[in-house]
Amino acid sequence: MANNHGVVFLGPGKVEVQSIDYPKFVNPAGKSIEHGVILKVVSTNICGSDQHMVRGRTTAPKGLVLGHEITGEIIEKGKDVEYLNIGDLVTVPFNVACGRCRTCREQATGVCLNVNSSRAGGAYGYVDMGGWVGGQAEFVMVPYADFNLIKFPDKEKALAKIADLTMLSDILPTGFHGAVTAGVGVGSTVYVAGAGPVGLAAAASARILGAAVVMIGDMNTERLAHAKSVGFEPIDLKKSDKLEELIEAVIGVPEVDASVDAVGFEAKGHGQQHETEAPATVLNSLMAITRAAGGIGIPGLYVTEDPGSKDEAAQQGNLKMRLGLGWAKSHRFYTGQTPVLKYNRALMQAILHDRLPIAKIVNATIIPLNQAPQGYTDFDHGAAKKFVLDPHGVLKKAA
């Protein structure tokens, strides 16, 4: 049996690459299963959602193996796996989904009813998401493989674009979900809050959906400069606490057709308050700038408990939202985990046929697994990069 190493959460501000168990065909309750596969992890990414746990802003337990963005090669399979084979290169949705329950049948795989005993929805290596072992590792087990996994049709071609295709596991479908649910279409004016990887993916998605102009707001100078370099209109939120004025300076009117929250619950204020945490500020500002009957997509993460917040209400997942404004403007709000399977096949095709250079857009930066702790530190300090871990050196070789 091979050795296995993975990125382990050891407490606020600390992760470490440690020796971990080689995966077995068992679910988190210890029950043997035969519908899974074991993957040699080809690529696995550091996500902003992981950072919330590492910062101590969730109830994540020490010892959790992190990682929900996974691409891999099948090296073992259970006897109930019929349509995948050893050697297949596959993309793994971050959602763990059974494919059999009511929500999965309705394509709402982000809230599968059978993979988590405590609530709807499961994910790899994430707090309160069912206890499934994470994939920032050399090897990982993926359940319900026939349902969850998409095989890349041409392995050689896929490896040549692996830095792009690794984004299919989460951030690209998540950004796309935010844009779609906000109602982005041909000729739309769009504002995206947050110039991190998910925000950039949402902006790229808005562009491929036909938006006329895509603005992206942040307070990080490096991230704004990168957003501009890949064709988006940067909005420096340090310049004013009135987002309407910043929007009007770009498009001539203080409102947009659609907006996307790619920030989530650790948001900070605008203008002079840009250093002050304000959990509901993004949602409130998006209601202010989104036109009447417009849409707001909310792929940014909001948690049921935030023990690290200084806001007492936010510690219990409560936000001080100006919901009356959104109601008065007949806004559509769409929240929740992205149902990756709803989008990833189409997005795969867009990548393979050179329509969506997402690795360049999010500034994919490949590092070996043993450098993951430094990657977490750099990402937490606001690096304008998407860190991609290369556990076996496959990406380095492919490049």
Side-chain angles (χ1 to χ4, degrees):
M1 184 178 293
N3 294 321
N4 195 18
H5 294 84
V7 181
V8 181
F9 171 63
L10 299 178
K14 188 173 182 182
V15 298
E16 189 175 283
V17 178
Q18 296 183 348
S19 177
I20 63 174
D21 290 341
Y22 187 82
K24 301 179 178 66
F25 289 117
V26 295
N27 68 16
K31 179 183 176 182
S32 294
I33 59 175
E34 293 290 347
H35 48 65
V37 298
I38 292 175
L39 299 182
K40 174 184 174 181
V41 177
V42 170
S43 65
T44 178
N45 315 328
I46 296 174
C47 182
S49 299
D50 298 321
Q51 290 284 15
H52 296 307
M53 292 185 291
V54 173
R55 292 188 191 115
R57 299 300 295 268
T58 73
T59 55
K62 295 178 182 179
L64 180 70
V65 179
L66 299 171
H68 56 272
E69 300 189 12
I70 309 163
T71 305
E73 179 183 358
I74 298 174
I75 58 172
E76 298 181 48
K77 69 175 191 174
K79 65 183 181 182
D80 292 340
V81 178
E82 296 184 65
Y83 307 112
L84 296 165
N85 295 301
I86 305 300
D88 287 348
L89 186 64
V90 297
T91 181
V92 184
F94 79 86
N95 320 111
V96 181
C98 73
R100 306 166 184 179
C101 67
R102 175 181 178 176
T103 53
C104 282
R105 288 171 181 266
E106 294 173 349
Q107 291 192 307
T109 52
V111 281
C112 174
L113 303 176
N114 289 330
V115 296
N116 185 349
S117 61
S118 62
R119 65 176 68 175
Y124 304 91
Y126 209 84
V127 59
D128 295 331
M129 288 286 102
W132 300 92
V133 177
Q136 285 175 16
E138 294 170 308
F139 303 95
V140 69
M141 194 279 291
V142 174
Y144 305 103
D146 279 328
F147 177 70
N148 285 298
L149 301 183
I150 290 181
K151 171 188 172 182
F152 295 126
D154 184 320
K155 192 172 184 179
E156 185 176 346
K157 185 175 181 180
L159 285 171
K161 290 184 175 289
I162 195 66
D164 297 285
L165 293 170
T166 190
M167 306 306 167
L168 289 174
S169 57
D170 181 358
I171 67 161
L172 180 53
T174 293
F176 193 79
H177 183 61
V180 167
T181 56
V184 176
V186 174
S188 297
T189 56
V190 181
Y191 174 76
V192 178
V198 171
L200 290 165
S205 299
R207 187 158 63 191
I208 203 171
L209 287 166
V213 60
V214 182
M215 294 163 281
I216 187 164
D218 208 295
M219 293 168 282
N220 181 308
T221 302
E222 182 183 355
R223 288 184 171 182
L224 288 170
H226 176 72
K228 183 176 182 179
S229 75
V230 291
F232 306 118
E233 293 283 347
I235 303 293
D236 187 347
L237 300 176
K238 297 191 300 294
K239 292 184 176 180
S240 175
D241 59 1
K242 292 184 178 180
L243 182 56
E244 302 96 313
E245 293 178 353
L246 299 175
I247 297 295
E248 186 171 17
V250 176
I251 60 173
V253 292
E255 65 179 17
V256 295
D257 297 313
S259 57
V260 180
D261 175 3
V263 177
F265 73 103
E266 286 192 69
K268 293 182 178 180
H270 302 164
Q272 295 182 350
Q273 303 299 314
H274 70 272
E275 295 293 339
T276 303
E277 197 164 293
T281 191
V282 172
L283 295 172
N284 287 330
S285 66
L286 296 190
M287 285 186 280
I289 65 159
T290 303
R291 67 171 176 84
I296 301 173
I298 311 173
L301 176 67
Y302 288 87
V303 291
T304 53
E305 293 180 76
D306 177 9
S309 178
K310 296 180 181 179
D311 185 288
E312 186 174 345
Q315 291 175 11
Q316 305 301 318
N318 296 319
L319 301 177
K320 297 175 181 178
M321 285 178 61
R322 194 182 175 192
L323 188 59
L325 176 60
W327 188 94
K329 296 173 78 173
S330 293
H331 282 157
R332 303 183 310 276
F333 298 85
Y334 205 106
T335 69
Q337 291 189 63
T338 298
V340 172
L341 275 176
K342 190 172 183 178
Y343 307 111
N344 61 354
R345 186 175 296 278
L347 293 170
M348 175 186 72
Q349 293 288 76
I351 289 170
L352 291 175
H353 293 280
D354 300 319
R355 294 295 310 281
L356 194 50
I358 190 64
K360 177 182 177 181
I361 290 168
V362 302
N363 197 16
T365 303
I366 298 167
I367 60 175
L369 183 67
N370 61 13
Q371 290 182 18
Q374 186 61 50
Y376 270 93
T377 298
D378 293 348
F379 192 33
D380 194 42
H381 289 163
K385 299 176 180 179
K386 173 67 172 178
F387 288 102
V388 178
L389 305 180
D390 186 7
H392 296 278
V394 175
L395 280 75
K396 182 179 180 181
K397 184 178 179 181

